[in-house]
Amino acid sequence: MKIRELHRDEKIPYDLLLSADPSKDMIDEYIDRGTCYILEDNGQTIGEMILLETKPGIMEIMNIALADDYKGKGNGRILIEKAIDLAKKAKMHKLEFSTSNSALDHLALFQKCGMRIVGIEPDYFTNTYKDEVYENGILKQDMIRLEIVFSND
């Protein structure tokens, strides 16, 4: 497994990005401002994440996704740990991530990696996306915000 930065001249992995965020317009808005990292297995792209400094000292994981065959095998943890490492090296104060109330696997994994739930934005997804989306049999409705704070000693 190898994680590397996606070069500006490379094809954007929209198939993976859209599996995490159904709005191509929203993806196009933040991918140009952030940095996309690719997780590869023998040269094949199996995962991605986009990191963006949203405010001074604050980095956010804007998008993170894995190909279906690579889920549940520790690859998500690899990406999250890389994001934490990159945020620390960049001397960020904190790393943030937002997901939906229905993303049960994400909520568990990010907490296992040291992030804490710090807020809920009610009706974010129902107000932002025109179509209802269900995940794990639950309406994707509220945004759950998580973060990890670094001491940077």
Side-chain angles (χ1 to χ4, degrees), residues 32-52:
D32 287 338
R33 296 183 298 124
T35 304
C36 185
Y37 294 89
I38 301 297
L39 177 61
E40 295 178 322
D41 185 21
N42 294 320
Q44 177 186 356
T45 298
I46 63 161
E48 62 74 26
M49 70 177 168
I50 297 174
L51 299 179
L52 173 65

Side-chain angles (χ1 to χ4, degrees), residues 4-8 10-13 31 35-38:
R4 66 174 181 82
E5 190 174 324
L6 181 74
H7 302 290
R8 295 283 177 192
E10 289 184 277
K11 183 180 174 198
I12 296 171
I31 197 169
T35 304
C36 185
Y37 294 89
I38 301 297

